[in-house]
Amino acid sequence: MLDLKSEIAQETALPDIGLHIPEIMPDEFHLGYFGRFATLSGFENEKVADAFLREGFSDSIMQSAYNFLPLKLAKLLNIPPDDFIKNHTLVPLLRAAEHTKKKNHHPDVISSLGNKLAKRHASFCEKCVHEDIDYWGVSYWRRSHQLTGVGICLKHHENLCMVSTRNAIYEQPASHLSNQNFLLNDTGVKGAENPYVMKFMELINDFMDMDSNVNGSALSKLLANKAKQLGLRIYVEGSRKLLSDLLIEKYPSGWLELHFPSLLFKKQGEFCHEYDGALISSFRQSITKLLLATPVLLPDADSRILSHGGSIKPIARHKKTALSQNQLVESYVSNQGNIKQISASLNRNPTKIGSKLKSLGFPALGSLGQETLSALNAFYNGATLEEIMLIPNININVFSEILRVSGTHVKKAINYKQSL
């Protein structure tokens, strides 16, 4: 078995076997790294380099596992496989939110997702290329530029360059740049002006930085509850608007065409499992589709939404502006002490308004009989209790209770009502 080790500083040839094992860069996508390794070590092509690595690990107990490139590279660089998969591949994004207990570096997972791309093209930022060459002496493919829906470099806020040729990612971005072998994503910056697109890009980058997986079922239920509040339909049958219809309304068509083209093929009101299924928690949830739904349903959400476990409410409700005492007094007087009318005018809960007014010395007057109201009016205008007791049909218990709790503005409310 080859004794392979990684140089920590600059790319250096190992004299015993002649390999160059470059340091892997921050946020470097593993397929791009493999291309750098193969080129620097002088392999004829990537297949030859891949076969060489497989032979190099032939004595390993886990020989079969090393048929998969991400695990070969992790071994080559002496990086724990789960750390390598998490930081340098797209496996965490491509797996379902509710997946099996198998770790990301398990061969069953790597065999289907290990080398997959999330977009139909490889992407790089021209400014990043120049900066990397100035600082590192080499350009490399950033994983954050390969994420679904990401059309700009979030560092430079510049459109990403797209390369669609076969195996393009095995060559350095600088090579494609110098050969003009790319197309500029002219929808990137324009799309990022849309707040939902920007929020999506922030969330998907935050997800890639997480140490744990998203609770897809809990997030799906949270999104479904919000969808119901908005009057959206979450099931196949029905006539109301669907989440997929809302996505088409909120996201720019050019951005959707580039990153989520299948969404544009659906008809208005037609249930689309790929997108509307994000609101059905029993479905296997796609991380990308959950993140796509989040900005339009929960526009104020931030990265904390990704840690939502179902037992907390990460999105706080907007609190209503606190009412001043003057507002309460004015409404009490103008509505003649009628709690129902007061609460309606202030858009507040009647029970809470009644309790608050009572604590301030403003009893409810809306249900008072004319006789009791006249007695109160007479009392506030100077009549003695003996004189008031002579007024027929007074509800003495209500009269006494109002006198006990009433404040200075009760007389104004009574006089206001009496004057109508």
PDB file of all heavy atoms in Angstrom, residues 256-268:
ATOM      1  N   LEU A 256     -35.828  31.102 -12.174  1.00  0.00           N
ATOM      2  CA  LEU A 256     -36.460  29.786 -12.113  1.00  0.00           C
ATOM      3  C   LEU A 256     -36.068  28.941 -13.324  1.00  0.00           C
ATOM      4  O   LEU A 256     -35.806  27.743 -13.199  1.00  0.00           O
ATOM      5  CB  LEU A 256     -37.980  29.932 -12.054  1.00  0.00           C
ATOM      6  CG  LEU A 256     -38.580  30.462 -10.752  1.00  0.00           C
ATOM      7  CD1 LEU A 256     -40.084  30.636 -10.898  1.00  0.00           C
ATOM      8  CD2 LEU A 256     -38.265  29.536  -9.584  1.00  0.00           C
ATOM      9  N   GLU A 257     -36.023  29.555 -14.496  1.00  0.00           N
ATOM     10  CA  GLU A 257     -35.688  28.819 -15.706  1.00  0.00           C
ATOM     11  C   GLU A 257     -34.289  28.221 -15.623  1.00  0.00           C
ATOM     12  O   GLU A 257     -34.043  27.107 -16.105  1.00  0.00           O
ATOM     13  CB  GLU A 257     -35.788  29.743 -16.921  1.00  0.00           C
ATOM     14  CG  GLU A 257     -35.534  29.039 -18.242  1.00  0.00           C
ATOM     15  CD  GLU A 257     -35.671  29.971 -19.435  1.00  0.00           C
ATOM     16  OE1 GLU A 257     -35.885  31.192 -19.218  1.00  0.00           O
ATOM     17  OE2 GLU A 257     -35.566  29.495 -20.573  1.00  0.00           O
ATOM     18  N   LEU A 258     -33.373  28.923 -14.982  1.00  0.00           N
ATOM     19  CA  LEU A 258     -31.996  28.456 -14.879  1.00  0.00           C
ATOM     20  C   LEU A 258     -31.833  27.397 -13.796  1.00  0.00           C
ATOM     21  O   LEU A 258     -31.112  26.419 -13.979  1.00  0.00           O
ATOM     22  CB  LEU A 258     -31.065  29.639 -14.599  1.00  0.00           C
ATOM     23  CG  LEU A 258     -29.571  29.335 -14.545  1.00  0.00           C
ATOM     24  CD1 LEU A 258     -29.080  28.820 -15.900  1.00  0.00           C
ATOM     25  CD2 LEU A 258     -28.785  30.577 -14.121  1.00  0.00           C
ATOM     26  N   HIS A 259     -32.516  27.583 -12.662  1.00  0.00           N
ATOM     27  CA  HIS A 259     -32.273  26.725 -11.506  1.00  0.00           C
ATOM     28  C   HIS A 259     -33.399  25.734 -11.194  1.00  0.00           C
ATOM     29  O   HIS A 259     -33.140  24.655 -10.664  1.00  0.00           O
ATOM     30  CB  HIS A 259     -32.017  27.598 -10.272  1.00  0.00           C
ATOM     31  CG  HIS A 259     -30.839  28.502 -10.404  1.00  0.00           C
ATOM     32  ND1 HIS A 259     -29.540  28.047 -10.363  1.00  0.00           N
ATOM     33  CD2 HIS A 259     -30.757  29.844 -10.604  1.00  0.00           C
ATOM     34  CE1 HIS A 259     -28.705  29.063 -10.515  1.00  0.00           C
ATOM     35  NE2 HIS A 259     -29.421  30.163 -10.667  1.00  0.00           N
ATOM     36  N   PHE A 260     -34.637  26.093 -11.497  1.00  0.00           N
ATOM     37  CA  PHE A 260     -35.780  25.214 -11.222  1.00  0.00           C
ATOM     38  C   PHE A 260     -36.704  25.176 -12.445  1.00  0.00           C
ATOM     39  O   PHE A 260     -37.880  25.535 -12.359  1.00  0.00           O
ATOM     40  CB  PHE A 260     -36.549  25.707  -9.987  1.00  0.00           C
ATOM     41  CG  PHE A 260     -35.727  25.733  -8.729  1.00  0.00           C
ATOM     42  CD1 PHE A 260     -35.109  26.906  -8.310  1.00  0.00           C
ATOM     43  CD2 PHE A 260     -35.568  24.584  -7.971  1.00  0.00           C
ATOM     44  CE1 PHE A 260     -34.343  26.940  -7.148  1.00  0.00           C
ATOM     45  CE2 PHE A 260     -34.800  24.596  -6.812  1.00  0.00           C
ATOM     46  CZ  PHE A 260     -34.189  25.769  -6.403  1.00  0.00           C
ATOM     47  N   PRO A 261     -36.186  24.756 -13.590  1.00  0.00           N
ATOM     48  CA  PRO A 261     -36.965  24.828 -14.835  1.00  0.00           C
ATOM     49  C   PRO A 261     -38.256  24.015 -14.795  1.00  0.00           C
ATOM     50  O   PRO A 261     -39.238  24.376 -15.445  1.00  0.00           O
ATOM     51  CB  PRO A 261     -35.994  24.292 -15.893  1.00  0.00           C
ATOM     52  CG  PRO A 261     -34.996  23.482 -15.131  1.00  0.00           C
ATOM     53  CD  PRO A 261     -34.850  24.166 -13.813  1.00  0.00           C
ATOM     54  N   SER A 262     -38.279  22.912 -14.052  1.00  0.00           N
ATOM     55  CA  SER A 262     -39.486  22.070 -14.030  1.00  0.00           C
ATOM     56  C   SER A 262     -40.682  22.809 -13.459  1.00  0.00           C
ATOM     57  O   SER A 262     -41.830  22.488 -13.791  1.00  0.00           O
ATOM     58  CB  SER A 262     -39.225  20.798 -13.209  1.00  0.00           C
ATOM     59  OG  SER A 262     -38.871  21.121 -11.870  1.00  0.00           O
ATOM     60  N   LEU A 263     -40.436  23.809 -12.622  1.00  0.00           N
ATOM     61  CA  LEU A 263     -41.533  24.565 -12.025  1.00  0.00           C
ATOM     62  C   LEU A 263     -42.315  25.345 -13.075  1.00  0.00           C
ATOM     63  O   LEU A 263     -43.535  25.528 -12.952  1.00  0.00           O
ATOM     64  CB  LEU A 263     -40.980  25.528 -10.960  1.00  0.00           C
ATOM     65  CG  LEU A 263     -41.988  26.297 -10.107  1.00  0.00           C
ATOM     66  CD1 LEU A 263     -42.947  25.356  -9.395  1.00  0.00           C
ATOM     67  CD2 LEU A 263     -41.270  27.188  -9.103  1.00  0.00           C
ATOM     68  N   LEU A 264     -41.636  25.775 -14.125  1.00  0.00           N
ATOM     69  CA  LEU A 264     -42.282  26.587 -15.152  1.00  0.00           C
ATOM     70  C   LEU A 264     -43.143  25.759 -16.107  1.00  0.00           C
ATOM     71  O   LEU A 264     -43.899  26.321 -16.893  1.00  0.00           O
ATOM     72  CB  LEU A 264     -41.221  27.359 -15.940  1.00  0.00           C
ATOM     73  CG  LEU A 264     -40.407  28.380 -15.130  1.00  0.00           C
ATOM     74  CD1 LEU A 264     -39.370  29.050 -16.017  1.00  0.00           C
ATOM     75  CD2 LEU A 264     -41.318  29.421 -14.495  1.00  0.00           C
ATOM     76  N   PHE A 265     -43.024  24.435 -16.037  1.00  0.00           N
ATOM     77  CA  PHE A 265     -43.816  23.582 -16.924  1.00  0.00           C
ATOM     78  C   PHE A 265     -45.181  23.224 -16.331  1.00  0.00           C
ATOM     79  O   PHE A 265     -46.026  22.678 -17.024  1.00  0.00           O
ATOM     80  CB  PHE A 265     -43.046  22.297 -17.250  1.00  0.00           C
ATOM     81  CG  PHE A 265     -41.901  22.515 -18.188  1.00  0.00           C
ATOM     82  CD1 PHE A 265     -40.596  22.542 -17.721  1.00  0.00           C
ATOM     83  CD2 PHE A 265     -42.117  22.714 -19.549  1.00  0.00           C
ATOM     84  CE1 PHE A 265     -39.528  22.746 -18.584  1.00  0.00           C
ATOM     85  CE2 PHE A 265     -41.061  22.919 -20.420  1.00  0.00           C
ATOM     86  CZ  PHE A 265     -39.764  22.937 -19.945  1.00  0.00           C
ATOM     87  N   LYS A 266     -45.370  23.499 -15.047  1.00  0.00           N
ATOM     88  CA  LYS A 266     -46.650  23.147 -14.427  1.00  0.00           C
ATOM     89  C   LYS A 266     -47.712  24.193 -14.725  1.00  0.00           C
ATOM     90  O   LYS A 266     -47.410  25.365 -14.948  1.00  0.00           O
ATOM     91  CB  LYS A 266     -46.491  22.954 -12.915  1.00  0.00           C
ATOM     92  CG  LYS A 266     -46.190  24.213 -12.133  1.00  0.00           C
ATOM     93  CD  LYS A 266     -46.697  24.091 -10.693  1.00  0.00           C
ATOM     94  CE  LYS A 266     -47.871  24.981 -10.478  1.00  0.00           C
ATOM     95  NZ  LYS A 266     -49.079  24.537 -10.041  1.00  0.00           N
ATOM     96  N   LYS A 267     -48.962  23.762 -14.717  1.00  0.00           N
ATOM     97  CA  LYS A 267     -50.081  24.653 -14.978  1.00  0.00           C
ATOM     98  C   LYS A 267     -50.581  25.274 -13.679  1.00  0.00           C
ATOM     99  O   LYS A 267     -50.430  24.703 -12.605  1.00  0.00           O
ATOM    100  CB  LYS A 267     -51.211  23.888 -15.661  1.00  0.00           C
ATOM    101  CG  LYS A 267     -50.837  23.293 -17.014  1.00  0.00           C
ATOM    102  CD  LYS A 267     -51.985  22.476 -17.573  1.00  0.00           C
ATOM    103  CE  LYS A 267     -51.619  21.834 -18.907  1.00  0.00           C
ATOM    104  NZ  LYS A 267     -52.713  20.983 -19.436  1.00  0.00           N
ATOM    105  N   GLN A 268     -51.171  26.446 -13.788  1.00  0.00           N
ATOM    106  CA  GLN A 268     -51.762  27.113 -12.643  1.00  0.00           C
ATOM    107  C   GLN A 268     -52.786  26.188 -11.981  1.00  0.00           C
ATOM    108  O   GLN A 268     -53.654  25.630 -12.636  1.00  0.00           O
ATOM    109  CB  GLN A 268     -52.449  28.410 -13.081  1.00  0.00           C
ATOM    110  CG  GLN A 268     -53.211  29.142 -11.994  1.00  0.00           C
ATOM    111  CD  GLN A 268     -52.285  29.871 -11.035  1.00  0.00           C
ATOM    112  OE1 GLN A 268     -51.125  30.116 -11.367  1.00  0.00           O
ATOM    113  NE2 GLN A 268     -52.784  30.223  -9.873  1.00  0.00           N
TER     114      GLN A 268
END
